[in-house]
Amino acid sequence: MTLADAIALAHRGETEGFACLFEHTAPNIWMMAAVLGCPYIGTAVTQIYRRASDEVSSLRSPSDLRVWIGRIAFDVLLRQPEDTGRDIPALSGDSAEAYRAISVLPRQERTALLLLCGDGCSAPQAAEILSQPDIEIKRAMRRARQTIAAHMKQAGCTKNCNTVWLIAVLDEMRRAQADAAASELEQVLTCVQTGTEYREPEPPVQAEEPVPQLEDTREKSGFFQKWFRSRRFG
């Protein structure tokens, strides 16, 4: 199914049309939510796509899709509190080091990086999504690159921290997140289509370490007490 076909079906209220739009865009939105530090990613993404479902009639063509979903997504995501220190699964080496640098950037710089390198937006498109001057987005992107490059150099990475490399890093993050969150993404789509509440997965239960058992010395102490008393006045 082409995006044009999906849009036409979604306009007619056909669930498979909206599902196609969701599958095309949701992995990127999920990754953006993670990098921006949203504490409840599934809940935020569900909210985004509920709004998208309500506003799908305003999506006119595939060329509008990036800005259309971006405006909805960032309006929701930038209202979320931050949960710093979230890990992206399955990253290692230079990519993991890059994520450590990205995760501590100011949110404005992370947002510019996500739109220009993660989503492939032009500066004018990013400006339209965020309702900001494109010069501010370019400046934020430049600061992000400089900070990441300094971090990678300090970590001993020899990679050239250019746009092509940053695009590849964010693409790896997207794929890692999509693989790890496949069941959550399915749940989000079901919740949007049925109107049910999204339930965040329970955090893994930490196994309790066994409490060391103290040796029962009651019999021994009783024996020694008797022994002591029997010889105390000998």
Side-chain angles (χ1 to χ4, degrees), residues 5-42:
D5 291 338
I7 292 169
L9 288 173
H11 284 176
R12 296 201 296 268
E14 302 288 344
T15 56
E16 59 266 34
F18 186 81
C20 179
L21 298 176
F22 177 89
E23 291 167 7
H24 188 79
T25 57
N28 205 38
I29 299 299
W30 191 282
M31 184 268 291
M32 290 178 173
V35 174
L36 288 173
C38 293
Y40 302 107
I41 297 178

Coordinates of all heavy atoms in Angstrom, one line a residue, residues 5-42:
D5 N -2.4 5.9 -1.0 CA -3.5 5.0 -0.8 C -3.9 5.0 0.7 O -5.1 5.0 1.0 CB -3.2 3.6 -1.2 CG -3.0 3.5 -2.7 OD1 -3.5 4.3 -3.4 OD2 -2.3 2.5 -3.2
A6 N -2.9 5.0 1.6 CA -3.2 4.9 3.0 C -3.9 6.2 3.5 O -4.8 6.1 4.3 CB -1.9 4.8 3.8
I7 N -3.5 7.3 3.0 CA -4.1 8.6 3.3 C -5.6 8.6 2.8 O -6.5 9.0 3.6 CB -3.4 9.8 2.7 CG1 -2.0 9.9 3.4 CG2 -4.1 11.1 2.9 CD1 -1.0 10.9 2.8
A8 N -5.8 8.1 1.6 CA -7.2 8.1 1.1 C -8.0 7.2 1.9 O -9.2 7.5 2.2 CB -7.1 7.6 -0.4
L9 N -7.5 6.0 2.3 CA -8.3 5.1 3.1 C -8.6 5.7 4.5 O -9.7 5.5 5.1 CB -7.6 3.7 3.3 CG -7.5 2.9 2.0 CD1 -6.6 1.7 2.2 CD2 -8.9 2.4 1.6
A10 N -7.5 6.3 5.1 CA -7.7 6.9 6.4 C -8.8 8.0 6.4 O -9.5 8.1 7.3 CB -6.4 7.5 6.9
H11 N -8.8 8.8 5.3 CA -9.8 9.8 5.2 C -11.2 9.2 5.2 O -12.2 9.8 5.6 CB -9.6 10.6 3.9 CG -8.5 11.6 4.0 ND1 -8.1 12.3 2.9 CD2 -7.7 11.9 5.0 CE1 -7.1 13.1 3.3 NE2 -6.8 12.9 4.5
R12 N -11.3 8.0 4.7 CA -12.7 7.3 4.6 C -12.9 6.5 5.9 O -14.0 5.8 6.0 CB -12.7 6.4 3.4 CG -12.6 7.1 2.1 CD -13.2 6.2 0.9 NE -12.4 5.0 0.7 CZ -11.4 4.8 -0.1 NH1 -11.0 5.9 -0.8 NH2 -10.8 3.7 -0.3
G13 N -12.0 6.6 6.9 CA -12.2 5.9 8.1 C -11.8 4.5 8.1 O -12.2 3.7 9.1
E14 N -11.1 4.0 7.1 CA -10.7 2.6 7.0 C -9.5 2.4 7.9 O -8.5 3.1 7.8 CB -10.3 2.3 5.6 CG -11.4 2.5 4.6 CD -12.5 1.4 4.7 OE1 -12.2 0.4 5.4 OE2 -13.6 1.6 4.2
T15 N -9.6 1.4 8.8 CA -8.5 1.2 9.8 C -7.2 0.9 9.2 O -6.1 1.2 9.7 CB -8.9 0.1 10.8 OG1 -9.2 -1.1 10.1 CG2 -10.2 0.6 11.6
E16 N -7.2 0.1 8.1 CA -5.9 -0.3 7.5 C -5.1 0.9 6.9 O -3.9 0.9 6.9 CB -6.1 -1.4 6.4 CG -7.0 -1.0 5.3 CD -8.4 -1.4 5.4 OE1 -8.9 -1.3 6.6 OE2 -9.1 -1.7 4.4
G17 N -5.8 2.0 6.5 CA -5.2 3.1 6.1 C -4.4 3.8 7.2 O -3.2 4.2 7.0
F18 N -5.1 4.0 8.3 CA -4.4 4.7 9.4 C -3.3 3.8 10.0 O -2.2 4.2 10.4 CB -5.4 5.0 10.6 CG -4.7 5.8 11.7 CD1 -4.6 7.2 11.5 CD2 -4.3 5.2 12.8 CE1 -4.0 7.9 12.6 CE2 -3.7 5.9 13.8 CZ -3.5 7.3 13.7
A19 N -3.5 2.4 10.0 CA -2.5 1.5 10.5 C -1.2 1.6 9.6 O -0.1 1.5 10.1 CB -3.0 0.1 10.4
C20 N -1.4 1.8 8.3 CA -0.2 2.0 7.4 C 0.6 3.3 7.8 O 1.8 3.3 7.8 CB -0.6 2.0 6.0 SG 0.7 2.2 4.8
L21 N -0.1 4.3 8.0 CA 0.5 5.6 8.4 C 1.2 5.4 9.8 O 2.3 5.9 9.9 CB -0.5 6.7 8.5 CG -1.3 7.1 7.2 CD1 -2.3 8.2 7.5 CD2 -0.3 7.6 6.2
F22 N 0.6 4.7 10.7 CA 1.2 4.4 12.0 C 2.5 3.7 11.8 O 3.5 4.0 12.4 CB 0.2 3.7 12.8 CG 0.7 3.3 14.2 CD1 0.6 4.2 15.3 CD2 1.4 2.1 14.4 CE1 1.1 3.8 16.5 CE2 1.8 1.7 15.6 CZ 1.7 2.6 16.7
E23 N 2.4 2.6 11.1 CA 3.6 1.7 10.9 C 4.8 2.5 10.2 O 5.9 2.2 10.5 CB 3.3 0.5 10.1 CG 2.3 -0.5 10.9 CD 1.7 -1.5 10.0 OE1 2.1 -1.6 8.8 OE2 0.9 -2.3 10.4
H24 N 4.4 3.4 9.4 CA 5.4 4.2 8.7 C 6.1 5.2 9.6 O 7.3 5.5 9.4 CB 4.8 4.9 7.5 CG 5.8 5.6 6.6 ND1 6.5 4.9 5.6 CD2 6.2 6.9 6.5 CE1 7.3 5.8 5.0 NE2 7.1 7.0 5.5
T25 N 5.4 5.7 10.6 CA 5.9 6.9 11.4 C 6.2 6.5 12.8 O 7.1 7.2 13.4 CB 4.9 8.0 11.3 OG1 3.7 7.6 11.8 CG2 4.8 8.6 9.9
A26 N 5.5 5.5 13.4 CA 5.6 5.3 14.8 C 7.0 4.9 15.3 O 7.4 5.4 16.4 CB 4.6 4.2 15.2
P27 N 7.8 4.1 14.6 CA 9.1 3.8 15.2 C 10.0 5.1 15.4 O 10.7 5.2 16.4 CB 9.7 2.9 14.1 CG 8.6 2.2 13.5 CD 7.5 3.3 13.4
N28 N 9.9 6.0 14.5 CA 10.6 7.3 14.6 C 10.1 8.1 15.8 O 10.9 8.7 16.6 CB 10.6 8.1 13.3 CG 11.7 9.0 13.2 OD1 12.9 8.6 13.5 ND2 11.5 10.2 12.7
I29 N 8.8 8.1 16.0 CA 8.2 8.9 17.1 C 8.6 8.3 18.4 O 8.9 9.0 19.4 CB 6.7 9.0 16.9 CG1 6.3 9.7 15.6 CG2 6.0 9.7 18.1 CD1 6.7 11.1 15.5
W30 N 8.6 6.9 18.4 CA 9.0 6.3 19.7 C 10.4 6.6 20.0 O 10.8 6.9 21.2 CB 8.8 4.8 19.5 CG 8.9 4.0 20.8 CD1 10.1 3.6 21.5 CD2 7.8 3.5 21.6 NE1 9.8 3.0 22.6 CE2 8.4 2.8 22.7 CE3 6.5 3.5 21.5 CZ2 7.7 2.2 23.7 CZ3 5.7 2.9 22.5 CH2 6.3 2.3 23.6
M31 N 11.3 6.5 19.0 CA 12.7 6.8 19.3 C 12.9 8.3 19.8 O 13.6 8.6 20.7 CB 13.5 6.6 18.0 CG 15.0 6.8 18.2 SD 15.6 8.5 17.8 CE 15.3 8.6 16.0
M32 N 12.1 9.2 19.2 CA 12.2 10.6 19.6 C 11.8 10.8 21.0 O 12.4 11.5 21.8 CB 11.4 11.5 18.7 CG 11.9 11.6 17.3 SD 10.8 12.6 16.3 CE 11.8 12.8 14.8
A33 N 10.7 10.1 21.4 CA 10.2 10.2 22.8 C 11.3 9.6 23.8 O 11.5 10.2 24.8 CB 8.9 9.4 22.9
A34 N 12.0 8.6 23.4 CA 13.0 8.0 24.2 C 14.2 9.0 24.4 O 14.7 9.2 25.5 CB 13.5 6.7 23.7
V35 N 14.6 9.5 23.3 CA 15.8 10.4 23.3 C 15.4 11.7 24.1 O 16.3 12.3 24.7 CB 16.3 10.8 21.9 CG1 17.4 11.8 21.9 CG2 16.8 9.5 21.2
L36 N 14.2 12.2 24.0 CA 13.8 13.4 24.7 C 13.5 13.1 26.2 O 13.2 14.0 27.0 CB 12.5 14.0 24.1 CG 12.8 14.7 22.8 CD1 11.4 15.1 22.1 CD2 13.7 15.9 22.9
G37 N 13.6 11.8 26.6 CA 13.5 11.4 28.0 C 12.1 11.3 28.6 O 11.9 11.5 29.8
C38 N 11.2 11.0 27.7 CA 9.8 10.9 28.2 C 9.7 9.7 29.2 O 10.1 8.6 28.8 CB 8.8 10.7 27.1 SG 8.6 12.1 26.0
P39 N 9.2 9.9 30.4 CA 9.1 8.8 31.3 C 8.1 7.7 31.0 O 8.3 6.6 31.3 CB 8.8 9.5 32.7 CG 8.1 10.7 32.3 CD 8.7 11.2 31.0
Y40 N 7.1 8.1 30.3 CA 6.0 7.1 29.9 C 5.8 7.2 28.4 O 4.9 7.9 27.9 CB 4.7 7.4 30.6 CG 4.9 7.4 32.1 CD1 4.9 8.6 32.9 CD2 5.1 6.2 32.8 CE1 5.0 8.5 34.2 CE2 5.3 6.1 34.2 CZ 5.2 7.3 34.9 OH 5.4 7.3 36.2
I41 N 6.7 6.5 27.7 CA 6.7 6.6 26.2 C 5.5 6.1 25.6 O 4.9 6.8 24.7 CB 8.0 5.9 25.6 CG1 9.3 6.5 26.2 CG2 7.9 5.9 24.1 CD1 10.5 5.8 25.7
G42 N 5.0 5.0 26.0 CA 3.8 4.4 25.4 C 2.6 5.3 25.5 O 1.8 5.5 24.6

